[in-house]
Amino acid sequence: IDNGRGTLTCNDNDSYSKGTYPDIAERNLLATGIDRSRVELLNGDARKIIPELSAQRAGSVDIFLVDADHTFEGAYADITNGLGMLKPGGLVLVHDLDRSRTMAEQTDEHPHPVYEAFMQVTTEKKLPWCIFPFVRKHLGAFRVES
């Protein structure tokens, strides 16, 4: 159900699936019937764009989904850089936490890089968290308290 008030901002750099973003993403979004004026598709390095968005939208975002850089450093940066844009009670969702799945970005130091980044942030911030294992590739969630 669409209440007509929300907006969607996406950022990607088309590195995983050339030719997909933003063209196919925009077509898919428009096929849902969402008004194009409520969608913003950004293309670029998340380590630059997310801090800018966080400053511009400080304390105004309900949900922040992270599904980008799968290195430990990249996932950690994406998660922490976006925290400032969330409203109190806002949700952070992080995709690709499945530790049984091999990732090209894993290293000896970080065999489960996205999972490890998620756990480090929730531990550092002392935030309650959960992982939904039934969602493809696992989805983690935590709520920002303030």
Side-chain angles (χ1 to χ4, degrees), residues 61-78:
V61 172
D62 294 305
I63 300 172
F64 174 50
L65 169 65
V66 177
D67 183 20
D69 187 333
H70 294 100
T71 64
F72 172 83
E73 297 78 11
Y76 182 84
D78 288 346

Side-chain angles (χ1 to χ4, degrees), residues 47-142:
R47 290 192 205 191
K48 294 177 183 172
I49 291 175
I50 299 303
E52 292 170 6
L53 283 174
S54 196
Q56 292 167 3
R57 299 175 186 181
S60 68
V61 172
D62 294 305
I63 300 172
F64 174 50
L65 169 65
V66 177
D67 183 20
D69 187 333
H70 294 100
T71 64
F72 172 83
E73 297 78 11
Y76 182 84
D78 288 346
I79 296 167
T80 57
N81 287 339
L83 293 178
M85 74 175 90
L86 288 158
K87 293 178 180 178
L91 292 174
V92 176
L93 306 175
V94 181
H95 192 238
D96 294 320
L97 299 183
D98 185 352
R99 290 181 289 167
S100 69
R101 185 172 157 252
T102 301
M103 299 184 87
E105 298 87 353
Q106 70 188 48
T107 63
D108 290 340
E109 184 178 1
H110 296 291
H112 311 290
V114 180
Y115 173 84
E116 293 170 46
F118 175 85
M119 293 306 299
Q120 184 163 329
V121 172
T122 57
T123 300
E124 288 173 356
K125 305 283 185 192
K126 297 180 174 74
L127 298 168
W129 55 271
C130 65
I131 295 176
F132 301 98
F134 53 88
V135 175
R136 185 175 172 259
K137 301 180 187 174
H138 297 1
L139 183 70
F142 65 87

Side-chain angles (χ1 to χ4, degrees), residues 2-8 34 38:
D2 184 355
N3 67 10
R5 296 182 307 181
T7 61
L8 175 66
I34 192 169
R38 295 176 44 218

Side-chain angles (χ1 to χ4, degrees), residues 31-53:
T32 69
I34 192 169
D35 182 337
R36 180 60 177 98
S37 68
R38 295 176 44 218
V39 176
E40 180 179 19
L41 300 176
L42 306 173
N43 195 335
D45 182 349
R47 290 192 205 191
K48 294 177 183 172
I49 291 175
I50 299 303
E52 292 170 6
L53 283 174

